[in-house]
Amino acid sequence: MTTQTVFDLIFRNALLRSSAAPVDIGVARGRIAAIEPRLACEAPEVAIGGHLVLPGFVDSHIHLDKACLLDRCGHDHGSLGQAIRAVSAMKRDFTIEDVHARGAKVLERAVMHGTTHMRTHVEIDPRIGLRSFEAMKALKLDYAWAIDLSLCVFPQEGLTNDPGAEELLIQALRDGGDVIGGCPYTDTDPNAHLARIFDLAQEFDVDVDLHLDFDLDPSWCHLDEVCRQTERRNYQGRVAVGHATKLSALPPERMKAATAQLARAGVAVTVLPATDLYLMGREATHNAPRGLTLAHKLAGDGVVCSVATNNVLNPFTPFGDASLLRIANFYANVAHASVSDFDTCLDLVTDLPARLMNLGDYGIKVGNPADLVVLDTQDSRFAVAELPDIMMGFKRGRRTFERQRPTLFSPKS
């Protein structure tokens, strides 16, 4: 037993994915100071009881600004274009207070489901102006005690074809935008749209996260241009694309080439199961395609990947509870993941999105922030397979939530 007296907190009997037996985790000033089988200290203790401890979940792609709209949109549509038009009409009436309230509702649910890092995409255009952005900046500050919120500002409805959008985008980047996004398939000049997004990314030294190739027509794509721009500008490791459902429609040889291209260019892919499955293939009368790109297969071939929430309770996705563990389970089921893939599916909501977001101090190791969640299981595979309760969570060593285990009352009790 090693004697330590410098800890502010110690987690007792924690099972890590990397450890064969439970360990103790000592925390000092919000960071992990020691990980050893037995630590002697006089600090307050949290009894983990041999349960699985993970670093907090990482949601690399969500839209907090347009969440929770089902009660105002009369949801009788289903295509991507209809969803964009429905939200475009509604967001003209969004207020900062409205966006903040809806975003806070989802953010709090995400925290209680174990998410400690999140990248939210924020629409910037002449219809919404900077109102959603102002609301997200406030949320970032209001919930910094529980979650690190990164703001990706982007023009949902085009750029070159939407006068005034670029000026607003630049203003947002000057005023705290952390990442820049784009949506070339809504622009009349997709390549010019992409070039300008990369120009601004370099000017403000921010990463790029694009909505891309969101359909099932394999006859054309914008991925080639994204990879070309990434390599030309030496932006490898700083670019991600979301959806990329076209990849699911490629035959094996073309998919192999696309995978190699992504790996070579250092372009990451975020798959968004709830939205991708809801919007793709709706026109099919039978044998409907899934429209789901296989992130765990791409990850196995050297592409940084994640699965994420995207939308919650709106025309793009009229479902959701901001649980990344549920999304990982949903993805694994629909993607025909084998049991041997379950650990990779867990990586898709932890280590891999942390890499995608370039979080340099993520993970359970000495020196990193003590951002931890405790699951009611002893096996990481079962974290995906059976959706165990998430018992408690910590941000920089401070408890952010706790969930009591349910009690079963039998007739004999």
Side-chain angles (χ1 to χ4, degrees):
M1 179 179 289
T2 300
T3 300
Q4 298 279 356
T5 58
V6 295
F7 301 129
D8 302 317
L9 179 70
I10 188 164
F11 297 96
R12 290 287 187 197
N13 203 27
L15 186 64
L16 307 182
R17 294 177 74 185
S18 59
S19 60
V23 296
D24 293 343
I25 304 171
V27 177
R29 296 179 296 280
R31 291 185 175 268
I32 297 170
I35 303 173
E36 297 183 22
R38 291 181 295 170
L39 290 172
C41 75
E42 300 173 358
E45 298 182 2
V46 178
I48 303 300
H51 291 102
L52 180 67
V53 176
L54 299 175
F57 297 119
V58 181
D59 201 331
S60 62
H61 188 127
I62 194 171
H63 295 262
L64 294 176
D65 57 341
K66 55 191 182 189
C68 303
L69 295 173
L70 288 190
D71 60 347
R72 65 180 79 172
C73 72
H75 190 75
D76 57 357
H77 35 71
S79 73
L80 174 61
Q82 288 173 324
I84 291 174
R85 288 189 291 274
V87 173
S88 179
M90 283 187 281
K91 71 184 177 185
R92 296 172 187 272
D93 298 322
F94 287 178
T95 64
I96 294 175
E97 295 74 20
D98 167 50
V99 175
H100 186 282
R102 289 184 288 103
K105 182 178 179 180
V106 176
L107 205 56
E108 288 181 5
R109 296 197 74 176
V111 168
M112 289 190 285
H113 285 302
T115 299
T116 58
H117 295 80
M118 177 182 285
R119 174 181 288 176
T120 185
H121 290 250
V122 188
E123 294 190 17
I124 305 289
D125 61 43
R127 287 153 293 285
I128 186 61
L130 296 174
R131 297 191 301 278
S132 289
F133 178 63
E134 293 299 327
M136 291 301 114
K137 285 200 300 178
L139 281 175
K140 181 175 181 175
L141 290 175
D142 292 346
Y143 287 90
W145 55 272
I147 191 167
D148 290 323
L149 185 62
S150 173
L151 309 184
C152 178
V153 295
F154 85 113
Q156 168 77 78
E157 300 178 48
L159 183 61
T160 69
N161 57 333
D162 197 6
E166 181 173 325
E167 290 76 13
L168 288 166
L169 197 59
I170 291 171
Q171 189 174 341
L173 288 167
R174 286 174 175 163
D175 197 26
D178 301 298
V179 181
I180 189 170
C183 197
Y185 55 78
T186 61
D187 203 309
T188 52
D189 192 341
N191 284 354
H193 179 115
L194 288 169
R196 191 62 188 132
I197 294 299
F198 274 91
D199 286 342
L200 291 171
Q202 288 188 299
E203 180 181 344
F204 288 91
D205 191 23
V206 294
D207 291 356
V208 176
D209 196 336
L210 303 159
H211 291 64
L212 202 77
D213 291 347
F214 195 14
D215 60 60
L216 298 178
D217 180 359
S219 67
W220 62 273
C221 73
H222 295 136
L223 182 60
D224 291 343
E225 179 64 14
V226 170
C227 291
R228 189 184 73 81
Q229 291 279 357
T230 301
E231 292 180 301
R232 185 171 74 83
R233 298 168 188 261
N234 295 316
Y235 241 57
Q236 294 92 335
R238 301 190 66 181
V239 178
V241 298
H243 300 293
T245 51
K246 277 184 190 291
L247 294 174
S248 73
L250 296 181
E253 287 305 310
R254 287 186 61 191
M255 184 59 186
K256 183 178 179 181
T259 301
Q261 181 182 38
L262 285 163
R264 182 180 64 251
V267 173
V269 176
T270 296
V271 173
L272 304 158
T275 302
D276 297 346
L277 286 158
Y278 179 70
L279 290 178
M280 294 296 99
R282 297 183 68 86
E283 69 284 354
T285 59
H286 59 285
N287 281 342
R290 297 178 181 220
L292 186 76
T293 291
L294 300 182
H296 69 291
K297 298 288 189 183
L298 283 172
D301 288 326
V303 180
V304 175
C305 289
S306 67
V307 297
T309 300
N310 195 46
N311 281 292
V312 176
L313 304 176
N314 71 12
F316 295 87
T317 318
F319 313 100
D321 59 0
S323 168
L324 279 177
L325 197 58
R326 184 183 65 81
I327 289 289
N329 168 279
F330 181 45
Y331 167 83
N333 196 329
V334 177
H336 292 154
S338 64
V339 174
S340 61
D341 294 321
F342 285 1
D343 269 316
T344 300
C345 293
L346 191 56
D347 291 338
L348 291 170
V349 293
T350 53
D351 296 337
L352 288 171
R355 284 180 58 193
L356 182 151
M357 291 175 59
N358 288 309
L359 303 179
D361 58 359
Y362 176 85
I364 302 177
K365 55 186 175 182
V366 172
N368 283 355
D371 297 345
L372 312 173
V373 291
V374 183
L375 276 62
D376 190 10
T377 186
Q378 286 77 40
D379 190 322
S380 58
R381 295 171 303 168
F382 282 88
V384 170
E386 65 176 355
L387 293 178
D389 288 338
I390 302 173
M391 302 168 65
M392 64 184 84
F394 297 80
K395 185 66 176 173
R396 291 180 286 276
R398 178 189 177 276
R399 194 188 308 253
T400 54
F401 74 93
E402 184 171 359
R403 184 176 287 110
Q404 298 298 320
R405 297 183 73 176
T407 302
L408 186 67
F409 294 97
S410 72
K412 299 177 181 180
S413 61

